[in-house]
Amino acid sequence: MDAILKTENLVMTYRVGKVDVNALRGVNLSVGRGEFVSIMGPSGCGKSTMLHILGGLLKPTSGKVIVDGEDMADMTDAQRTDTRRRKIGFVFQRFNLFPTLTAEGNLQLAEQIHGKGKKIVDEETRREVLRLLRLENKMRHKPLELSGGEQQRVAIARAIINRPAIILADEPTGNLDSENSEIVLEMLQKLNRELNQTIVMITHNPEAAAVAARTVHMRDGMIVGEE
Amino acid sequence: MDNLVTSNIRQRPTRTLLSVAGVALGVVLIVLNTGLVEGMLNDRIRRERGVGAEIRFGRSGAMLSPSSSNPVDVRYGDQLMKIEGVKLVSPVGYYIQSGNSGLGMEIVEGVEFDSYSTITGAKIVEGRAPQTDQEVMIDEFKALHNKLSVGSDIQVFGETKKVAGIYSPQVGSRIKMPLSALQSALSADGKCFEILVKVTDPDKQDDVRKRILDKLPGNEVLLTRDIGVGVGREIPGIKGFVRAVLVLSVIVSALVILLAMYTTITERTREIGILKSLGASKGFIIGVIEKEALTISLIGVLVGLVISMIAAWVLERATTLQLEFTWSWILRAGLIGLGAGALGALYPAIRAANKDAVQALSYE
Ligand SMILES: Nc1ncnc2c1ncn2[C@@H]1O[C@H](COP(=O)(O)OP(=O)(O)OP(=O)(O)O)[C@@H](O)[C@H]1O
Ligand SMILES: [Mg+2]
């Protein structure tokens, strides 16, 4: 399979005072185009650290991170930001919508940043995304006027609206009740199938992990198994 | 992004209001002060140029900065009368006191009413000319704006005097008293500040001036028509004062915006993290914050201009202060308000742009 994301011997060491924390100790991960991968593992095993590196929010201590043909480990901060703008969509546990903007405003902001001021998202993709996420009637609402599940769906719409190469989701259902979790997971699955969207999702919940075609297990900064 | 800017401005009305007030204050400082300087200067120049004497004779170096020192011997008057082309002379004494509204300064002139009136055309329109050292006369403008009339009390030399008469038109200072009374109050017997000289033929005033300079060297001889054209605009200290006002208002505006934007970016740390996670560049983040600061500054500038206009209207009615706004100062005040806002926001903006994305995202 054609890998859209690949890490080679990824190492991340945080320095806290005089102590080194080895968050990642040589991670080799490969994700194919159009794959839906979930990542599981105990708290503190380095899942978020890895996701942040994959999305270019952090620079690894050593190793390679190849996203759609570009090695982000070699890049400057500004270059990583630019790659993130073009190729990555993030979804967080805490939704992270702009509270002062409507759902529509949140999407537009992402489109503006992605297009560097120009509008480059075509209307058809936009309509399709809103339809799949069932958000057509929610666009005028501000985050506080939406349920948690709806907020997360807006956040997913924001991540996918620019059709990034990869969506990176860090416990996207972690703040949702089981009903809303199910809806959000179902939608992620739909986006994966109908739009062939590559998704890497961290989760603590085995049921959530099950919607992904493949689950990667981590422990102590390493990948310890797959299913 | 514009949406983000305006929604942030609306979201924090108190902060927005305070920042707007800060910028507005800076603009008001500039516009009112330069308006006052301009207005008072022009008003005084108009009145000085209206005295009807083509030439003024005084002590070198002393003439352009009015002061209570009266260095000129009135007997120069007799010598001036002997010079060819001089028709009439009238000595004028000066006393400078702080304005009775507490703002600015006010000149009190001591005049010999008969000669002064002949040269300037100033006529008593109400009451009579002052005769004792307890009496003064004022012009109609002052009477109107300070609500004074014949018989009113007025403070001169820190003493209460009576308004004996009101004269018109406005020429020279707005308060006049007998020269002899001014001399004795200042213990300057036989002295005056300057001598007004009326010539027989105004076309030949240059020649008369040269003759005076020849005959009475070492003195200053000014042509009234030159006052306000170059020389007369140079009131000592004014430039420094205006500069100080400019610096002060830049500091006030920039500081207020700096503090406002600084607290804002701390509050919005997580939002900055979100922008970064969406791939926003440093330039984009600086742009968002600068746009917000500029929008607030623009509102501040407009509010400041409106307040200045209202304040000017009130001041002109309540006092004898005259304000003149010039487009160039209004424009400069606006640019200074915007510039100071942009400058004040720069440091917070750069700090925001340099925040660590992951830390910003986990900020509570
Ligand atoms: N900024 C940091 N500075 C120092 N140590 C850090 C930092 N961020 C994470 N760590 C440490 O790195 C290790 C991995 O953290 P990470 O957040 O990646 O774990 P995680 O698998 O996402 O855990 P959780 O499931 O609780 O979210 C932990 O030991 C954590 O304490
Ligand atoms: Mg985590």
Side-chain angles (χ1 to χ4, degrees):
Chain A
M1 202 185 335
D2 166 24
I4 199 165
L5 175 67
K6 201 167 158 44
T7 73
E8 283 176 24
N9 206 21
L10 201 59
V11 172
M12 182 68 191
T13 309
Y14 291 109
R15 192 158 186 111
V16 185
K18 286 183 178 166
V19 186
D20 281 344
V21 179
N22 298 309
L24 297 178
R25 318 159 177 255
V27 172
N28 294 294
L29 176 72
S30 181
V31 177
R33 199 176 290 275
E35 244 194 315
F36 189 167
V37 177
S38 64
I39 296 177
M40 291 191 76
S43 186
C45 72
K47 305 181 296 295
S48 294
T49 300
M50 183 173 81
L51 208 74
H52 292 150
I53 292 174
L54 297 181
L57 290 173
L58 280 179
K59 193 182 171 76
T61 309
S62 67
K64 285 187 176 179
V65 190
I66 295 151
V67 173
D68 207 12
E70 299 177 32
D71 186 357
M72 293 216 285
D74 282 350
M75 292 181 181
T76 63
D77 209 45
Q79 288 169 329
R80 261 186 284 123
T81 301
D82 200 54
T83 305
R84 178 162 65 249
R85 175 179 67 78
R86 288 181 287 112
K87 302 206 182 278
I88 305 287
F90 269 108
V91 177
F92 301 96
Q93 180 176 354
R94 296 164 59 180
F95 321 139
N96 279 343
L97 295 172
F98 280 86
T100 58
L101 296 180
T102 59
E104 179 68 33
N106 271 281
L107 286 203
Q108 279 174 358
L109 182 61
E111 291 171 33
Q112 265 173 16
I113 291 172
H114 181 72
K116 292 199 148 177
K118 277 178 242 114
K119 197 161 171 55
I120 56 173
V121 177
D122 68 290
E123 275 310 307
E124 205 167 327
T125 311
R126 195 184 163 81
R127 260 198 305 276
E128 179 71 356
V129 166
L130 295 185
R131 187 185 64 77
L132 285 172
L133 291 165
R134 280 191 261 123
L135 282 171
E136 295 102 325
N137 301 324
K138 305 288 175 194
M139 297 313 283
R140 288 159 166 268
H141 294 264
K142 291 197 174 167
L144 286 178
E145 302 157 4
L146 295 170
S147 73
E150 287 166 343
Q151 286 186 55
Q152 193 61 301
R153 273 146 59 195
V154 173
I156 293 169
R158 179 177 68 179
I160 205 174
I161 196 81
N162 299 312
R163 296 313 322 277
I166 307 159
I167 282 195
L168 300 173
D170 195 342
E171 299 187 45
T173 58
N175 270 8
L176 299 177
D177 57 27
S178 57
E179 193 182 336
N180 275 305
S181 293
E182 247 172 71
I183 296 173
V184 162
L185 288 168
E186 184 195 319
M187 286 181 173
L188 283 173
Q189 200 169 32
K190 249 202 297 193
L191 294 171
N192 170 247
R193 287 191 184 145
E194 298 190 19
L195 301 176
N196 198 35
Q197 176 65 54
T198 312
I199 300 174
V200 176
M201 175 181 76
I202 294 174
T203 182
H204 275 122
N205 180 350
E207 283 168 43
V211 300
R214 182 179 147 210
T215 300
V216 171
H217 290 274
M218 285 182 73
R219 186 181 295 270
D220 290 336
M222 288 188 287
I223 291 178
V224 292
E226 285 202 15
E227 60 190 82
Chain B
M1 185 160 102
D2 303 321
N3 204 342
L4 184 63
V5 169
T6 51
S7 74
N8 279 337
I9 287 173
R10 270 184 278 119
Q11 196 66 22
R12 292 169 177 79
T14 318
R15 185 220 54 165
T16 301
L17 225 65
L18 282 175
S19 332
V20 163
V23 174
L25 177 65
V27 169
V28 169
L29 273 177
I30 297 176
V31 172
L32 276 193
N33 279 297
T34 57
L36 262 175
V37 166
E38 201 67 32
M40 300 309 277
L41 211 55
N42 288 338
D43 176 50
R44 181 157 170 257
I45 287 166
R46 263 194 305 276
R47 280 184 281 126
E48 287 305 331
R49 291 175 82 168
V51 291
E54 292 83 0
I55 293 174
R56 5 210 3 165
F57 175 92
R59 174 60 52 85
S60 289
M63 285 193 73
L64 290 170
S65 44
S67 73
S68 301
S69 78
N70 288 279
V72 180
D73 196 312
V74 292
R75 282 173 299 186
Y76 271 114
D78 302 335
Q79 297 181 45
L80 286 164
M81 279 304 285
K82 286 181 197 141
I83 291 168
E84 187 193 338
V86 172
K87 189 174 166 193
L88 267 174
V89 297
S90 182
V92 176
Y94 269 18
Y95 171 67
I96 314 290
Q97 62 181 12
S98 60
N100 58 355
S101 52
L103 288 164
M105 60 175 200
E106 190 168 49
I107 300 174
V108 179
E109 283 175 351
V111 299
E112 284 174 354
F113 189 66
D114 289 344
S115 61
Y116 187 82
S117 171
T118 316
I119 289 181
T120 61
K123 294 273 179 312
I124 295 289
V125 290
E126 234 181 276
R128 54 172 174 74
Q131 277 154 12
T132 70
D133 58 2
Q134 293 308 311
E135 292 177 343
V136 301
M137 60 180 181
I138 58 175
D139 67 20
E140 355 160 66
F141 179 88
K142 187 169 180 68
L144 185 70
H145 283 264
N146 289 1
K147 299 194 174 59
L148 295 171
S149 51
V150 174
S152 298
D153 288 341
I154 188 168
Q155 292 293 317
V156 178
F157 296 120
E159 290 170 24
T160 307
K161 313 262 183 201
K162 283 263 184 271
V163 174
I166 294 166
Y167 66 91
S168 172
Q170 314 169 22
V171 284
S173 72
R174 299 201 185 280
I175 307 179
K176 299 190 197 311
M177 60 193 300
L179 179 59
S180 55
L182 184 116
Q183 287 168 336
S184 65
L186 292 176
S187 326
D189 284 344
K191 298 283 189 166
C192 65
F193 181 78
E194 63 176 354
I195 298 175
L196 303 180
V197 178
K198 178 136 190 84
V199 302
T200 0
D201 182 356
D203 290 342
K204 297 199 176 120
Q205 50 181 292
D206 284 308
D207 302 335
V208 179
R209 177 172 179 269
K210 282 200 198 83
R211 279 198 287 276
I212 298 175
L213 280 170
D214 277 351
K215 294 261 168 58
L216 305 169
N219 294 293
E220 182 120 71
V221 185
L222 288 182
L223 293 178
T224 295
R225 66 166 186 230
D226 290 340
I227 292 177
V229 193
V231 281
R233 299 202 70 86
E234 299 289 331
I235 288 198
I238 284 293
K239 270 192 183 152
F241 170 73
V242 169
R243 203 171 300 137
V245 167
L246 293 188
V247 170
L248 188 70
S249 51
V250 169
I251 291 174
V252 168
S253 308
L255 217 60
V256 168
I257 294 283
L258 178 103
L259 289 175
M261 297 313 286
Y262 195 83
T263 35
T264 302
I265 63 142
T266 311
E267 278 171 29
R268 285 193 215 141
T269 297
R270 215 146 76 86
E271 293 179 22
I272 290 156
I274 302 171
L275 284 177
K276 292 195 162 217
S277 77
L278 290 170
S281 63
K282 289 185 181 182
F284 185 94
I285 292 169
I286 291 175
V288 169
I289 291 163
E290 281 291 346
K291 272 189 197 174
E292 188 173 331
L294 280 173
T295 309
I296 290 173
S297 304
L298 183 67
I299 301 172
V301 165
L302 297 177
V303 169
L305 289 178
V306 170
I307 292 176
S308 301
M309 302 299 151
I310 295 170
W313 189 85
V314 171
L315 278 175
E316 289 201 336
R317 259 139 209 86
T319 68
T320 53
L321 296 174
Q322 303 277 287
L323 289 97
E324 259 170 54
F325 295 140
T326 59
W327 280 112
S328 86
W329 273 115
I330 289 176
L331 199 71
R332 269 182 267 185
L335 290 178
I336 285 171
L338 292 179
L343 185 76
L346 200 58
Y347 173 67
I350 290 172
R351 266 191 73 114
N354 284 321
K355 282 191 185 206
D356 178 78
V358 175
Q359 274 173 21
L361 277 168
S362 58
Y363 187 84
E364 288 303 325

